[in-house]
Amino acid sequence: MLVELIFVVIKILVVITVLLLGVAYMTWLERKVIGHMQVRLGPTHVGWKGLLQPIADGLKLVAKEDIIPTMVDKPVYIIAPLLSLIPALSAFAVIPFTNATVNLFGTEYHLYITDVNIGLLYVLALSSVGTYGIIMSGWASNSKYALLGSLRSSAQVISYETAMGLSLIGPVLLAGTVSLKGITEAQANGFWFIVPQFVAFVVYLISAIAETNRAPFDLPEAETELVAGFHVEYSSMKFAMFFLAEYANMYVVSSIATIVFLGGWNGPFGPSFIWFILKIVALMFFYLWLRATLPRLRFDQLMTLGWKILIPIALVNVVVTSIVLYAIN
Amino acid sequence: MSGYLPIALMLVIAALIGLISISVGFLIRPRKPEKVKLSVYECGMPEFSDARQRYNVRFYVIAMLFVIFDVETVFLFPWAVSFDVLGLFGLIEMIVFIIILVFGYFYAWKKGALEWA
């Protein structure tokens, strides 16, 4: 029991460390990829090819003065970034990234943190909790830009969350479980759910990008009109936490897309976690590509896309999938 | 319950990491508060009113619609999991449920709840 407990803590620390490093190097990759897509070089000065740039940025943010404006609601102002970051990190407790096991004192332990039979619902629930961080930060800041940004952002996140949840019903129908490990194993024969559920995959991907406030749905941050949206009054580490939460959330939605639609850890050969990471990196690159390609949507276009296009498509997909599934059985 | 203990631990460790990273810079960062620096950002203008004013009611309508649709999505998950067990009865029942919801959806649409002009 004690061995198991210690092992779980070690697994959690390793996963969080890898995740935070992944977030840091995602920012490097983003600047490099978008730089090259716009025929620039991106960061080059700190370290070889700018590889130490994320570390330098992190240190800079820690050492910055922490400005808390006088008019803010202080407790809420401080809790808000925590409430963004904690759900984003905690979602990784149920992500099965490898099927490898390790033998400790005669007992087999799996390497992912845990698997619960409500895994997918747990991740969806946590992504809803993250919305509170956005609303609270906008309200507590007592700044007009922050309030407008947080209203927009929360309306956007909750609109697309509905489409996201509905698009995941189709694969769950096929798998017959919401355990993320179960969904991965249901695709072990190489028949990934992206093939029968391609419509759901497209709906999911669009909602996921909107859910994480990424371009072309980055309205909360719209620099040209809202300066930075809900985190305009935040500085130093508190700002960094919103940043970390946004990128960690990108990893969460990519992991769910990988597990539910792209077969998770399943690959033709080699160790399973390599395949999992490869699929996630491919999705992340796709996000960057989108950001370099598409202009930002207007807010009414964004809401129209979410409510009038994605939700009906997702509902039709659920009905058609269930009827076809019943007819086949 | 053993599957849920790691989740509880994960929440605790994530909270600790958040708290530590907020407070770690306390020792090294400068503290030079100033009246103008501590005022909220308003494009360089002096702030002239409290930010918490009335805002568009559409955000509230969207929030209510979200509650309805999200609860419905949560109802669909257990149905999807036990789809094989429920058989034809479950299928027809859920299609009736979705049709009722779609009526409400079109009502909201026709009432203009989804318009942002």
Side-chain angles (χ1 to χ4, degrees):
Chain A
M1 185 61 203
L2 189 66
V3 175
E4 198 181 339
L5 201 67
I6 294 169
F7 186 54
V8 165
V9 172
I10 292 172
K11 281 194 292 192
I12 290 173
L13 291 177
V14 168
V15 166
I16 289 183
T17 312
V18 170
L19 182 64
L20 291 179
L21 273 177
V23 166
Y25 277 93
M26 184 65 199
T27 64
W28 174 83
L29 188 73
E30 176 161 26
R31 293 168 71 177
K32 272 291 185 196
V33 167
I34 291 180
H36 282 277
M37 281 178 176
Q38 297 170 345
V39 207
R40 293 183 287 117
L41 286 177
T44 50
H45 282 283
V46 193
W48 183 72
K49 299 267 182 200
L51 264 176
L52 293 178
Q53 186 71 45
I55 312 286
D57 285 344
L59 285 175
K60 185 201 78 172
L61 279 168
V62 172
K64 280 279 178 185
E65 182 178 2
D66 192 11
I67 305 167
I68 301 180
T70 36
M71 297 290 280
V72 302
D73 189 339
K74 216 172 167 187
V76 183
Y77 180 84
I78 292 169
I79 291 169
L82 287 170
L83 216 59
S84 285
L85 184 69
I86 294 170
L89 292 181
S90 308
F92 274 85
V94 294
I95 303 286
F97 45 84
T98 175
N99 60 357
T101 52
V102 62
N103 199 318
L104 279 184
F105 306 105
T107 324
E108 287 282 317
Y109 292 108
H110 43 71
L111 280 179
Y112 53 87
I113 295 173
T114 185
D115 177 59
V116 289
N117 52 8
I118 53 156
L120 195 55
L121 286 175
Y122 170 77
V123 175
L124 285 177
L126 279 184
S127 75
S128 304
V129 175
T131 318
Y132 285 101
I134 295 172
I135 298 175
M136 283 164 71
S137 65
W139 185 257
S141 293
N142 200 2
S143 159
K144 294 177 186 77
Y145 294 106
L147 187 62
L148 284 174
S150 80
L151 281 174
R152 275 192 189 185
S153 184
S154 45
Q156 171 182 343
V157 170
I158 61 178
S159 301
Y160 281 84
E161 201 164 284
T162 317
M164 194 173 176
L166 283 173
S167 71
L168 290 171
I169 305 271
V172 169
L173 271 169
L174 296 184
T177 171
V178 281
S179 148
L180 290 173
K181 185 170 170 247
I183 293 174
T184 311
E185 280 165 352
Q187 301 168 79
N189 52 8
F191 187 63
W192 296 351
F193 288 160
I194 185 177
V195 181
Q197 290 290 321
F198 187 73
V199 177
F201 177 68
V202 173
V203 172
Y204 176 82
L205 210 57
I206 295 174
S207 322
I209 297 164
E211 178 93 0
T212 48
N213 297 336
R214 292 290 302 175
F217 306 109
D218 57 346
L219 283 117
E221 288 170 40
E223 310 91 332
T224 44
E225 36 180 321
L226 277 183
V227 292
F230 58 90
H231 52 57
V232 62
E233 294 298 339
Y234 283 84
S235 51
S236 183
M237 256 337 260
K238 294 200 189 70
F239 166 75
M241 286 172 78
F242 280 118
F243 205 75
L244 286 175
E246 183 185 325
Y247 280 80
N249 271 325
M250 282 168 69
Y251 277 104
V252 173
V253 294
S254 304
S255 307
I256 296 296
T258 303
I259 291 163
V260 174
F261 293 103
L262 299 176
W265 67 52
N266 295 308
F269 53 83
S272 51
F273 74 94
I274 299 279
W275 287 103
F276 191 80
I277 289 171
L278 263 181
K279 288 166 188 173
I280 286 189
V281 171
L283 282 169
M284 291 299 219
F285 181 78
F286 178 69
Y287 295 166
L288 302 185
W289 196 358
L290 276 183
R291 182 174 163 187
T293 310
L294 295 175
R296 186 182 298 130
L297 268 74
R298 226 168 44 215
F299 192 70
D300 60 323
Q301 294 170 332
L302 174 93
M303 289 316 233
T304 305
L305 177 67
W307 283 98
K308 293 187 185 168
I309 299 174
L310 292 185
I311 288 180
I313 290 177
L315 270 176
V316 169
N317 180 62
V318 169
V319 174
V320 170
T321 308
S322 57
I323 291 173
V324 169
L325 202 63
Y326 183 78
I328 288 173
N329 293 348
Chain B
M1 282 304 282
S2 63
Y4 291 90
L5 183 67
I7 291 182
L9 276 173
M10 186 85 177
L11 284 167
V12 171
I13 291 177
L16 280 178
I17 283 178
L19 285 172
I20 291 168
S21 60
I22 265 192
S23 47
V24 72
F26 188 73
L27 301 167
I28 50 170
R29 66 188 164 216
R31 258 182 306 268
K32 294 175 192 142
E34 207 185 296
K35 188 169 171 289
V36 179
K37 195 194 271 177
L38 293 182
S39 64
V40 294
Y41 176 70
E42 215 162 291
C43 286
M45 302 268 287
E47 55 200 281
F48 57 88
S49 66
D50 195 276
R52 293 163 193 148
Q53 296 169 343
R54 289 192 287 179
Y55 53 82
N56 203 324
V57 70
R58 289 196 182 94
F59 290 110
Y60 193 75
V61 175
I62 287 291
M64 287 202 297
L65 284 176
F66 162 72
V67 171
I68 298 164
F69 273 86
D70 216 40
V71 166
E72 187 244 357
T73 314
V74 170
F75 275 136
L76 284 175
F77 271 101
W79 165 75
V81 169
S82 46
F83 183 72
D84 292 340
V85 189
L86 293 173
L88 188 62
F89 174 74
L91 177 67
I92 292 170
E93 195 80 333
M94 194 44 80
I95 287 176
V96 169
F97 178 70
I98 289 177
I99 287 172
I100 293 171
L101 183 99
V102 165
F103 272 120
Y105 172 75
F106 278 114
Y107 177 74
W109 189 330
K110 285 287 159 243
K111 273 282 177 183
L114 308 178
E115 306 297 332
W116 287 80

